[in-house]
Amino acid sequence: NWSRQMTILQESRSAPGFCLLKGSFSFHLMLPLYFLVCLFFVCVFVFAELLLDILREKPQEADGIDSVVVVDNVPQVGPERLEKLKNVIHKIFSKFGKITTEFYPEADGMTKGYIFLEYAAPTQALEAVKNADGYKLDKQHTFRVNLFTDFDKYMTISDEWETPEKQPFKDFGNMRHWIEDPDCRDQYSVIYEAGERTAIFSNDAKEPITAEERARWTETYVRWSPKGTYLATFHQRGIALWGGEKFKQIQRFSHQGVSLIDFSPCERYVVTFSPLMDTKEDPQAIIIWDILTGQKKRGFHCESSAHWPIFKWSHDGKFFARMTQDTLSIYETPSMGLLDKKSLKISGIKDFSWSPGDNIIAFWVPEDKDIPARVTLMQLPSRQEIRVRNLFNVVDCKLHWQRNGDYLCVKVDRTPKGTQGVVTNFEIFRMREKQVPVDVVEMKDSIIAFAWEPNGSKFAVLHGESPRINASFYHVKNNGKIELIKMFDKQQANSIFWSPQGQFMVLAGLRSMNGALAFVDTSDCTMMNIAEHYMASDVEWDPTGRYVVTSVSWWSHKVDNAYWLWTFQGRLLQKNNKDRFCQLLWRPRPPTLLSTDQIKMIKKDLKKYSKIFEQKDRLSQSKASKELVDKRRAMMEEYRRYRETAQQIYQEQKSIRLELRGGVDTDELDSNVDDWEEETIESVVPYAGNIDDSFMKPLFTFYSSCSSNISRNFYLICWHFAEW
Amino acid sequence: MRAVWCVDCDWDTKNVLTGSADNSCRLWDCETGKQLALLNTNSAVRTCGFDFSGNIIMFSTDKQMGYQCYLNFFDLRDPQQIEDNQPYLSIPCNDAKITSAVWGPLGEFVNAGHENGEINQFSAKSGEILKKAKEHSRQINDIQTSVDLTMFISASKDNTAKLFDSTSLEHIKTFKTERPVNSAAISPIMDHVVMGGGQEAMEVTTTSTRIGKFEARFFHAAYEEEFGRVKGHFGPINCVAFHPDGKSYSSGGEDGYVRIHYFDPQYFDFELEA
């Protein structure tokens, strides 16, 4: 405002007619006036806010019974212990608000076992009910706390019980229909036309087969459920789940302004988040829903969605937990209540995560005065700490679980005593071994990316600084050693993508690294292929590990939006351009129904199965070429026929052509070869000293590499000027 | 005085016709370079051409500064028309301006491509629209005829080029790419077409900024399949043309270079499996 005022004044000095503002005299008058006006408005605003606050806190004029709670299972005592009882009750219940009245009904000289407490406000009463209900005073007495008004509510329930209406059975068909594809094609969802169209394709090596395509199916993006049963779409009013062969709508969840969702691993529950819905009385920011019944199970507050998902699920869906300041709250399903009715106080807790294989939580706390930082592994529901690891001079930690829960890697950034720099260690916890031994791998460079092999014991690390980025592969061996298998240096990579079946992986340089791709076989650490998908923004493996899709999303790059299909060895199969392509997600597969023995048997007989598949492939291949050849033949015939007719007409018009050109036949290039004269002329052309290659090319390289219109136009102007 | 938008010479290269953004269309003697006629217009001349006989010229003017787009016809055998700057036929185009136009095989009509993707066939005698074709969805950047003038290919901003019959305006083939096509040409001796294009600098923030990544693409005219690309330009290609003998082609680009390529023997032997 200051500078604006100044510029207005400065401008007005040169403009005629603004005599009012001219001169230093007026200027000195304007400034304090302006300041006073601002001050006035600020005061009004603050006053209004204060007023609103007071009004909000104003005690509601109710009947007063809204602030009364009834506490049952209170010990029955005689007059000599009554004072002590009252003190205990007071201590417990005054936590929730100001107790204005208390009443201990008596009979035959003893308290009856239930009491009435009145609070200053109904909100306090609600707090008491929420927190004190179920409070264990001692072995025999667990408080039951209810609102007085609730009694009234439950008393007036009619005696007539109406049988609830039987909901008609909604048959959605075979929800696993896509798994039964005889050619074992996986499905994937594609959002394109900037979000206008969403399509589901079956992946075939030749070309994608459309399974379903709808306009405006989702308003922002889509998500698959963890076992692939449902497709979730986002809408202003909530989310919808689709599934079955025809992608019918299975369920709808109303959550205004929903922006993020998360599924429980068992697909029983879905968690939705909306920044709009939260109120103090009724937490609505996060809601957990039962998918099959569509019921809202519980709502939670949420300050920020920065680290979604806020609630982390255990692998079997039995528990979910969230971390708040100094607290770890673990809830159990299906009750949705706190495990053991209370949260864990863990002072300074920074991060936690569930093992993907067992009900174990790993969390870490930073250094606190004399106590070093430490990582703790806690078994649930027993809450037994099965391993604690102290760490020194810690700056930060990141937890990386191997997909089966066999290993935990804690990436520890430390500043060793006496140094300034940050070094990184990987603390590898061997979960399957007794006492969970920990091995340490020291890394000299800064770490760019880390990833475990999904079902194996290898991990890959990208480290270093561009352009000297190295890719290192380690193997966690059974003999207690962690071996560096191979290191590739000078890689163009910033992300690691393992195949979901392990062994193979893609090192990708996404976004700023222009889509460099390296396909690696980690069984012998060889580069199978090095390729590129210019400006690729995403890499997605299919759930079987046979195919990889690299894509350029319209959300990150406005041109060349497409997704390319590669084999796991890095052979490019398809380039699929889609107008304003945004996102591709593979449909997850449910876990296999085959036992490990059955899988062993199949692997043994693989040769037999291979033969059958190869035959099938050959047939379909020749069918494809036959189709293509037939198509081409038909097109050529059609074209030939058209050309013949055109040629006929052309010949018929010859006389007209001759007339138009005064009798000269120009139908063929050599029609008048007799008229030609050949003459050779030699001349010396003086060097004109033009702007030559050495100037133009670099200038044009500049032009081509400009990333904004403004720079481009600027260089274009320079170029034309130079030319001129 | 300003950019020359179009140039054409008559069948025996006696005269050359040029149209420019300086609101004029000029006729020149090819051998001496002497200006034979100056026709002033109200707006930039976008496209021009001699008819089959070389006696009639047509040119179109842009829609600019309140002036409409016109398609003008002059008969060079009537010097009065040139002197008075009075075309014997002047067709106004009300909506989308003409971006490119070519003569029909016998000088009876002109096929014109418009800014909205339409192609109209204007009679050179009466000025009425004989036929219409609305196949393209966006601006037509260039139209070129086959060597015998029986067909023409239109290059459009909608990322395709289409082959039409010159007389019936029947849509015969479509060639699809992922970039706007700036120019296309038909080979005089093979069933091939060549296309050049690229993203306009003003329309996008980044494209593939690799040197030499702008390519001329070769399609089989009957199969509509791409069979080859030639890299080399480091800017979008604005214009392509085959040599009349079909043994080479040339391309001009935004980078200020004109490239001339001679085909290898393999080009003439190449066949797609059919």
Side-chain angles (χ1 to χ4, degrees):
Chain A
N1 282 338
W2 263 95
S3 55
R4 224 189 302 140
Q5 188 73 1
M6 290 290 284
T7 40
I8 292 171
L9 287 167
Q10 276 167 10
E11 279 166 6
S12 68
R13 272 192 207 187
S14 49
F18 275 80
C19 5
L20 253 173
L21 297 170
K22 254 202 243 189
S24 52
F25 170 71
S26 330
F27 175 69
H28 283 313
L29 194 64
M30 283 300 291
L31 197 61
L33 205 68
Y34 184 71
F35 179 67
L36 280 171
V37 168
C38 285
L39 194 63
F40 173 71
F41 277 110
V42 167
C43 285
V44 170
F45 181 71
V46 170
F47 181 69
E49 266 289 295
L50 284 170
L51 201 68
L52 278 168
D53 258 346
I54 291 169
L55 285 173
R56 259 184 246 133
E57 291 279 346
K58 181 179 161 187
Q60 306 288 357
E61 250 175 60
D63 303 312
I65 58 166
D66 293 310
S67 336
V68 178
V69 294
V70 184
V71 187
D72 275 286
N73 298 341
V74 178
Q76 293 173 284
V77 298
E80 66 287 353
R81 302 229 317 259
L82 185 59
E83 198 62 39
K84 191 169 176 219
L85 177 65
K86 281 194 181 172
N87 283 334
V88 169
I89 296 287
H90 204 90
K91 208 166 88 165
I92 299 168
F93 283 90
S94 52
K95 275 191 265 181
F96 311 115
K98 187 164 157 34
I99 302 174
T100 54
T101 331
E102 50 184 39
F103 178 46
Y104 288 72
E106 289 181 21
D108 304 326
M110 301 275 274
T111 59
K112 273 193 173 172
Y114 55 87
I115 62 169
F116 296 86
L117 298 171
E118 184 183 358
Y119 282 98
T123 43
Q124 297 170 7
L126 270 169
E127 276 294 303
V129 171
K130 213 160 62 158
N131 293 297
D133 185 37
Y135 182 88
K136 235 179 163 172
L137 181 68
D138 58 34
K139 251 201 201 152
Q140 286 108 355
H141 298 95
T142 304
F143 290 155
R144 298 315 309 266
V145 187
N146 287 290
L147 285 176
F148 182 73
T149 46
D150 277 346
F151 281 89
D152 209 28
K153 186 165 79 172
Y154 295 128
M155 296 267 269
T156 55
I157 289 174
S158 93
D159 283 335
E160 312 253 323
W161 183 69
E162 294 159 25
T163 35
E165 240 175 75
K166 190 165 182 188
Q167 304 278 358
F169 174 63
K170 288 192 214 148
D171 187 2
F172 297 111
N174 182 4
M175 297 290 278
R176 295 275 171 85
H177 180 264
W178 89 100
I179 299 291
E180 291 177 4
D181 179 64
D183 290 315
C184 294
R185 297 192 191 102
D186 283 288
Q187 288 189 342
Y188 53 84
S189 65
V190 175
I191 300 180
Y192 59 107
E193 283 186 28
E196 281 294 308
R197 293 201 85 87
T198 308
I200 314 285
F201 292 100
S202 285
N203 176 41
D204 188 279
K206 275 197 281 15
E207 64 170 15
I209 301 167
T210 312
E212 188 72 35
E213 195 184 322
R214 293 185 196 167
R216 304 242 88 218
W217 200 348
T218 181
E219 281 176 36
T220 49
Y221 58 106
V222 297
R223 278 265 104 88
W224 290 103
S225 62
K227 295 187 190 169
T229 316
Y230 309 104
L231 177 73
T233 56
F234 285 74
H235 312 273
Q236 183 56 29
R237 274 182 294 173
I239 62 161
L241 296 183
W242 312 76
E245 186 185 342
K246 302 276 179 213
F247 289 97
K248 289 211 202 89
Q249 191 180 91
I250 312 287
Q251 199 67 262
R252 248 206 313 234
F253 301 101
S254 174
H255 195 176
Q256 191 77 12
V258 64
S259 58
L260 297 164
I261 64 166
D262 187 35
F263 284 91
S264 70
C266 50
E267 287 189 345
R268 272 201 68 186
Y269 305 100
V270 66
V271 186
T272 56
F273 166 79
S274 165
L276 301 180
M277 295 292 288
D278 223 6
T279 55
K280 236 191 180 150
E281 288 80 40
D282 192 14
Q284 290 284 341
I286 299 181
I287 303 181
I288 304 186
W289 310 84
D290 182 311
I291 291 180
L292 288 175
T293 62
Q295 274 184 329
K296 190 192 292 196
K297 296 295 270 184
R298 186 154 174 186
F300 293 92
H301 284 302
C302 179
E303 274 79 53
S304 96
S305 62
H307 299 288
W308 187 258
I310 305 283
F311 284 103
K312 298 186 188 177
W313 290 86
S314 69
H315 73 105
D316 54 5
K318 278 222 188 88
F319 306 100
F320 57 96
R322 88 151 141 186
M323 185 182 82
T324 44
Q325 184 81 359
D326 296 334
T327 314
L328 182 64
S329 308
I330 306 166
Y331 301 83
E332 50 184 358
T333 62
S335 68
M336 303 293 166
L338 274 169
L339 178 66
D340 294 337
K341 301 250 190 289
K342 62 182 193 317
S343 303
L344 291 170
K345 287 268 171 281
I346 302 172
S347 177
I349 182 173
K350 286 288 241 160
D351 192 21
F352 81 100
S353 81
W354 289 94
S355 158
D358 310 277
N359 285 344
I360 297 174
I361 285 187
F363 62 87
W364 76 278
V365 291
E367 212 169 279
D368 181 25
K369 297 198 231 5
D370 300 331
I371 311 170
R374 65 193 181 286
V375 174
T376 310
L377 294 175
M378 180 186 277
Q379 177 89 47
L380 283 146
S382 65
R383 284 199 265 121
Q384 187 198 10
E385 291 185 357
I386 57 175
R387 188 71 163 90
V388 177
R389 172 93 169 157
N390 287 327
L391 304 162
F392 300 90
N393 311 113
V394 171
V395 173
D396 193 22
C397 286
K398 274 219 167 57
L399 307 168
H400 299 278
W401 283 96
Q402 187 255 20
R403 201 189 63 191
N404 294 350
D406 295 335
Y407 305 99
L408 167 68
C409 168
V410 182
K411 168 176 166 282
V412 184
D413 295 326
R414 319 172 39 233
T415 311
K417 265 212 173 72
T419 65
Q420 289 273 349
V422 179
V423 297
T424 308
N425 283 354
F426 291 123
E427 311 261 327
I428 311 289
F429 290 64
R430 294 166 182 268
M431 300 301 295
R432 303 291 171 217
E433 291 178 36
K434 246 205 186 127
Q435 313 262 340
V436 186
V438 182
D439 296 315
V440 185
V441 178
E442 276 180 26
M443 300 297 295
K444 306 272 172 6
D445 303 323
S446 57
I447 308 296
I448 299 169
F450 173 96
W452 280 106
E453 182 184 16
N455 50 3
S457 45
K458 298 199 202 86
F459 61 87
V461 189
L462 285 174
H463 54 105
E465 309 246 343
S466 185
R468 300 220 50 146
I469 297 176
N470 306 310
S472 296
F473 297 87
Y474 291 84
H475 184 197
V476 183
K477 300 179 94 123
N478 287 334
N479 57 7
K481 289 211 179 65
I482 299 181
E483 184 196 327
L484 170 64
I485 316 170
K486 186 87 189 249
M487 183 177 92
F488 294 107
D489 68 346
K490 294 213 220 62
Q491 292 297 302
Q492 278 276 84
N494 54 20
S495 326
I496 305 171
F497 297 95
W498 281 94
S499 155
Q501 305 297 328
Q503 192 182 345
F504 301 99
M505 56 119 74
V506 176
L507 294 170
L510 296 179
R511 296 167 221 265
S512 56
M513 287 198 189
N514 296 349
L517 303 166
F519 293 81
V520 183
D521 178 350
T522 60
S523 61
D524 52 1
C525 277
T526 50
M527 288 267 176
M528 297 183 287
N529 192 21
I530 298 182
E532 182 193 74
H533 183 172
Y534 189 67
M535 296 312 286
S537 57
D538 300 282
V539 175
E540 298 280 342
W541 279 90
D542 81 322
T544 61
R546 293 177 291 172
Y547 300 100
V548 187
V549 163
T550 56
S551 58
V552 178
S553 167
W554 186 76
W555 291 332
S556 68
H557 196 58
K558 300 298 179 202
V559 220
D560 289 335
N561 304 118
Y563 65 93
W564 292 5
L565 185 75
W566 311 73
T567 65
F568 68 96
Q569 290 167 319
R571 185 161 61 95
L572 182 60
L573 295 172
Q574 298 167 13
K575 285 189 189 183
N576 293 305
N577 292 312
K578 276 259 177 285
D579 181 22
R580 287 164 293 158
F581 162 85
C582 292
Q583 178 197 54
L584 182 148
L585 286 176
W586 288 95
R587 187 172 192 172
R589 278 183 176 248
T592 181
L593 295 172
L594 297 169
S595 67
T596 28
D597 288 331
Q598 281 173 307
I599 296 176
K600 270 209 191 103
M601 287 292 292
I602 294 171
K603 281 194 177 161
K604 240 175 41 160
D605 293 333
L606 203 56
K607 277 214 178 80
K608 179 174 79 181
Y609 295 110
S610 292
K611 278 214 182 78
I612 306 172
F613 288 129
E614 258 159 50
Q615 209 179 30
K616 219 176 167 192
D617 279 343
R618 261 198 297 263
L619 246 144
S620 88
Q621 194 74 299
S622 59
K623 182 163 161 259
S625 4
K626 186 167 181 305
E627 269 173 23
L628 185 61
V629 161
D630 286 341
K631 185 172 115 181
R632 282 191 189 147
R633 217 170 268 158
M635 289 178 92
M636 183 54 100
E637 262 173 45
E638 198 189 322
Y639 188 67
R640 282 264 158 272
R641 264 182 278 132
Y642 160 71
R643 287 304 296 156
E644 263 166 39
T645 338
Q647 296 284 47
Q648 236 181 343
I649 302 173
Y650 183 72
Q651 292 303 342
E652 286 164 18
Q653 292 172 336
K654 188 164 180 124
S655 49
I656 310 176
R657 280 197 297 281
L658 282 174
E659 204 191 305
L660 284 171
R661 289 191 170 170
V664 181
D665 182 3
T666 54
D667 278 359
E668 296 297 317
L669 263 189
D670 55 0
S671 291
N672 298 292
V673 89
D674 300 327
D675 268 357
W676 294 4
E677 252 177 56
E678 211 173 294
E679 206 181 298
T680 325
I681 304 172
E682 239 180 67
S683 70
V684 177
V685 180
Y687 174 60
N690 289 327
I691 301 167
D692 62 12
D693 246 22
S694 58
F695 177 78
M696 289 294 254
K697 211 163 197 162
L699 189 62
F700 225 85
T701 315
F702 248 141
Y703 169 80
S704 315
S705 67
C706 280
S707 58
S708 82
N709 295 337
I710 298 168
S711 322
R712 274 201 153 169
N713 288 334
F714 173 71
Y715 278 110
L716 206 56
I717 291 166
C718 285
W719 178 46
H720 283 302
F721 181 77
E723 222 186 7
W724 175 77
Chain B
M1 301 304 140
R2 288 161 76 187
V4 175
W5 283 123
C6 49
V7 62
D8 190 29
C9 61
D10 60 3
W11 66 273
D12 58 356
T13 330
K14 275 224 181 59
N15 301 323
V16 172
L17 187 68
T18 57
S20 161
D22 68 358
N23 300 357
S24 71
C25 183
R26 291 164 203 254
L27 188 68
W28 313 77
D29 178 285
C30 194
E31 200 177 343
T32 61
K34 174 159 165 260
Q35 185 178 297
L36 300 173
L38 163 62
L39 302 163
N40 282 311
T41 57
N42 292 321
S43 46
V45 176
R46 183 61 62 169
T47 186
C48 62
F50 285 95
D51 78 328
F52 188 79
S53 65
N55 295 325
I56 307 186
I57 58 169
M58 68 91 183
F59 58 87
S60 79
T61 56
D62 267 358
K63 187 172 181 175
Q64 258 175 355
M65 290 187 288
Y67 292 105
Q68 278 232 41
C69 156
Y70 283 95
L71 186 60
N72 296 322
F73 292 82
F74 283 82
D75 193 328
L76 293 175
R77 297 167 291 194
D78 178 6
Q80 199 64 33
Q81 282 180 33
I82 310 285
E83 224 177 280
D84 300 338
N85 196 0
Q86 271 296 87
Y88 73 82
L89 179 60
S90 183
I91 310 169
C93 297
N94 297 325
D95 313 300
K97 73 170 191 222
I98 293 175
T99 47
S100 185
V102 290
W103 279 96
L106 301 171
E108 305 143 309
F109 48 77
V110 166
N111 291 315
H114 294 256
E115 209 178 11
N116 59 1
E118 270 180 21
I119 298 177
N120 290 319
Q121 193 178 82
F122 295 96
S123 160
K125 306 227 163 35
S126 63
E128 61 176 332
I129 296 181
L130 301 170
K131 295 214 170 55
K132 277 176 179 282
K134 181 93 173 76
E135 299 286 338
H136 283 294
S137 53
R138 296 181 78 185
Q139 173 171 311
I140 297 200
N141 287 328
D142 186 31
I143 297 183
Q144 288 194 38
T145 54
S146 63
V147 69
D148 57 8
L149 303 178
T150 54
M151 343 183 254
F152 66 84
I153 187 166
S154 58
S156 165
K157 211 163 156 186
D158 68 0
N159 303 355
T160 67
K162 287 177 193 278
L163 200 62
F164 292 86
D165 179 272
S166 298
T167 315
S168 67
L169 233 49
E170 185 195 331
H171 169 214
I172 304 168
K173 297 285 174 190
T174 302
F175 309 100
K176 292 202 180 97
T177 66
E178 334 84 53
R179 297 274 178 83
V181 187
N182 291 339
S183 179
I186 307 172
S187 169
I189 55 171
M190 310 280 291
D191 289 327
H192 299 158
V193 299
V194 66
M195 291 155 57
Q199 209 81 18
E200 279 178 48
M202 282 185 282
E203 296 207 316
V204 81
T205 46
T206 53
T207 61
S208 173
T209 54
R210 226 67 80 45
I211 298 166
K213 244 211 159 218
F214 290 88
E215 300 151 329
R217 299 170 192 225
F218 285 82
F219 282 73
H220 197 283
Y223 307 139
E224 297 177 339
E225 284 175 44
E226 185 180 329
F227 66 86
R229 292 194 191 183
V230 180
K231 287 195 207 179
H233 278 285
F234 38 92
I237 297 174
N238 286 332
C239 198
V240 292
F242 276 101
H243 188 284
D245 66 10
K247 301 206 179 123
S248 62
Y249 85 98
S250 59
S251 57
E254 192 74 34
D255 55 6
Y257 282 86
V258 173
R259 299 177 71 91
I260 303 173
H261 289 271
Y262 288 86
F263 297 117
D264 289 339
Q266 289 91 333
Y267 166 81
F268 303 100
D269 298 331
F270 175 77
E271 256 175 43
L272 281 172
E273 192 186 316

